[in-house]
Amino acid sequence: MNEPEHCAGSSTTDLYSSGERVHITVLSVGFSNIEETSNIQLLCYRSSPSSAASRDFGRTAPIPSDTSPDPPAAQNLANAVRRIRFVPTSDWEEQGFGAFYCRGSQEGYDDQTISSFFKRSDACFEPVDGRFTRTVNVGDTGVIVQMIATSSPGCSSGAIVWRKDGGAPVSGQTTTTFTFSDPIVAEDEGIYEIHYSDMRGQGRGALYRLIVRDCPAGKWGPPDCTRICDKCYNGGVCDDETGRCICPNNFRGPNCLDICRTNGGNRFGPNCEFRCTYRGDPADTCSPNQFCLPDPFGCSCDIGTQGINCDTNCASGTYGAGCTQTCHCHFSQCERYSGVCKNSPCAKLWSGENCQIPDVCDVGYYGPDCTDKCHCLFDAPCDKITGECPNRECAPFFNIYGGSALEHSMASDV
């Protein structure tokens, strides 16, 4: 019996890039009401293989100023985590608004910088989608950053001003919607700030970070971007520099298919190695904190919660980090943490532990979990079972191999 034929790389074209960044995760506590609480913290966790990484903190952009916490009271709580506690001062209610980073550094790895966001509870604006970040791709069209004016007392009715990365006001943007009239380019990445013209110094504006992947959706490896991303499930995001999936809290594995806990949160880190508390195992202990992961993932609430304050449970039929994922259950609802169906099989056309694997794979993938890659000419869909391309035509730099030859070829390329 002949082996199915696949399109496989005859060189290192589809292998991961050699550069690797430091592995850190950022958790922010008290981020949504900085003028009302004394417990404002930025915690930076390092994960294997970056257990020796050093970490430092600072302000990401001069919004509304370049003042950093005074002084950064950083300390080691344990070997894995380093914390900065923002000690309120007389001007903290205004200066505490903004974006702050943790940067991890270790010899042999590229630095990793992750930003988190802090706001006042009486902010005059809030993002419509209830998030601080959004990830888009080079070439995307119709992108907007949309805010809503709140009814907080004392907010001005003056002119609306937008700024990027703390710079000068952006010309032509005078409503609560910042519109990108052209397709997205790398230079569009940054932190977008909205405020009333006479109130910036009060720290009652709003921030939104636009993260731009340097490749079209589903592709990695700039500048050519011809390589196919690993298939990312459960809200995972493809790293445009490596092709690997960055998984949200409570999910892990090369395709984010492995669920760390089906009935609650209290798990985070690349391998779900950290907990918000070790006193019992309560489901919602990590809420209402904010988690920020390496680019291009950005920031989100913990699994099962959503909203700008991360204190609202997922609506029926949704689950995961920030409630961005859709359940696929036959007749019951799913767990808002994991997507696993409650006493119900998967809906028709879906399978897997939490019913996220489609019967028809997305273009570019095949196999029982739709995680194998096709590499067909012009990105044509391949056979879901065999991976064979239409007319046996492969994408550039890929050639036809049978099963045993495929394994030999890829092994020799490593």
Side-chain angles (χ1 to χ4, degrees):
M1 180 176 178
N2 294 330
E3 294 280 356
E5 293 181 321
H6 314 265
C7 292
S10 56
S11 65
T12 58
T13 302
D14 199 45
L15 298 180
Y16 292 133
S17 61
S18 57
E20 187 168 2
R21 290 172 289 180
V22 170
H23 294 229
I24 56 174
T25 302
V26 168
L27 183 156
S28 51
V29 177
F31 71 95
S32 63
N33 56 342
I34 59 172
E35 86 285 6
E36 294 181 349
T37 180
S38 59
N39 185 29
I40 307 168
Q41 303 179 54
L42 189 66
L43 295 93
C44 191
Y45 292 77
R46 61 188 180 192
S47 299
S48 176
S50 305
S51 56
S54 63
R55 287 151 291 178
D56 62 279
F57 301 86
R59 187 183 287 269
T60 305
I63 303 171
S65 72
D66 57 2
T67 303
S68 290
D70 182 32
Q75 57 184 301
N76 283 315
L77 299 180
N79 184 51
V81 61
R82 189 169 174 86
R83 174 182 69 182
I84 183 169
R85 184 187 294 276
F86 296 157
V87 180
T89 60
S90 59
D91 61 351
W92 178 251
E93 292 183 4
E94 293 80 25
Q95 297 299 324
F97 165 71
F100 298 85
Y101 69 80
C102 173
R103 178 172 53 228
S105 303
Q106 180 172 322
E107 185 176 357
Y109 294 81
D110 294 336
D111 285 1
Q112 179 76 266
T113 301
I114 299 178
S115 294
S116 189
F117 300 84
F118 293 81
K119 65 178 282 289
R120 290 169 56 119
S121 63
D122 60 353
C124 296
F125 301 92
E126 287 186 352
V128 168
D129 62 3
R131 301 190 64 177
F132 285 100
T133 66
R134 178 184 176 187
T135 300
V136 296
N137 308 285
V138 163
D140 285 357
T141 58
V143 174
I144 61 174
V145 174
Q146 191 170 15
M147 300 285 184
I148 185 172
T150 70
S151 57
S152 296
C155 288
S156 170
S157 59
I160 290 174
V161 176
W162 283 92
R163 300 173 188 263
K164 180 176 182 287
D165 297 327
V170 179
S171 176
Q173 303 286 350
T174 59
T175 70
T176 53
T177 299
F178 191 107
T179 302
F180 295 86
S181 56
D182 297 320
I184 291 294
V185 295
E187 290 73 22
D188 291 325
E189 178 165 301
I191 299 175
Y192 291 82
E193 172 193 4
I194 186 173
H195 63 88
Y196 286 118
S197 57
D198 57 346
M199 294 186 65
R200 191 184 189 218
Q202 298 182 28
R204 297 180 66 185
L207 302 177
Y208 201 94
R209 181 169 179 239
L210 195 70
I211 302 170
V212 179
R213 296 181 69 258
D214 286 334
C215 289
K219 295 301 182 73
W220 71 278
D224 56 297
C225 296
T226 58
R227 294 170 248 192
I228 300 173
C229 288
D230 285 354
K231 177 63 179 176
C232 304
Y233 286 99
N234 296 305
V237 178
C238 171
D239 187 333
D240 50 315
E241 294 183 3
T242 67
R244 298 185 177 109
C245 297
I246 300 173
C247 301
N249 288 2
N250 201 50
F251 296 94
R252 62 184 176 183
N255 305 102
C256 308
L257 278 171
D258 298 333
I259 302 171
C260 301
R261 188 182 180 199
T262 60
N263 61 345
N266 200 31
R267 299 287 192 280
F268 66 96
N271 295 298
C272 300
E273 66 268 48
F274 303 121
R275 302 186 186 189
C276 291
T277 181
Y278 288 86
R279 298 177 180 177
D281 203 5
D284 294 317
T285 306
C286 291
S287 175
N289 301 328
Q290 176 185 221
F291 290 85
C292 298
L293 307 182
D295 285 353
F297 187 94
C299 299
S300 74
C301 300
D302 192 28
I303 55 169
T305 58
Q306 62 183 332
I308 196 65
N309 301 318
C310 293
D311 57 359
T312 303
N313 290 347
C314 292
S316 176
T318 63
Y319 76 96
C323 307
T324 58
Q325 303 304 295
T326 301
C327 303
H328 298 127
C329 302
H330 180 56
F331 57 81
S332 71
Q333 297 303 315
C334 71
E335 291 284 352
R336 61 186 174 95
Y337 310 102
S338 64
V340 171
C341 296
K342 302 176 181 179
N343 303 314
S344 169
C346 296
K348 186 179 180 180
L349 304 181
W350 297 94
S351 62
E353 184 177 1
N354 63 348
C355 304
Q356 295 302 307
I357 299 172
D359 281 0
V360 179
C361 297
D362 292 340
V363 172
Y365 304 94
Y366 74 98
D369 293 336
C370 296
T371 55
D372 297 314
K373 303 174 186 178
C374 297
H375 307 302
C376 299
L377 185 64
F378 304 128
D379 290 329
C382 64
D383 185 280
K384 181 184 188 296
I385 305 301
T386 67
E388 294 183 12
C389 292
N391 301 319
R392 303 175 71 248
E393 293 180 323
C394 299
F397 305 108
F398 292 87
N399 298 305
I400 290 289
Y401 286 97
S404 57
L406 169 64
E407 293 179 4
H408 173 76
S409 171
M410 297 306 289
S412 66
D413 289 337
V414 175

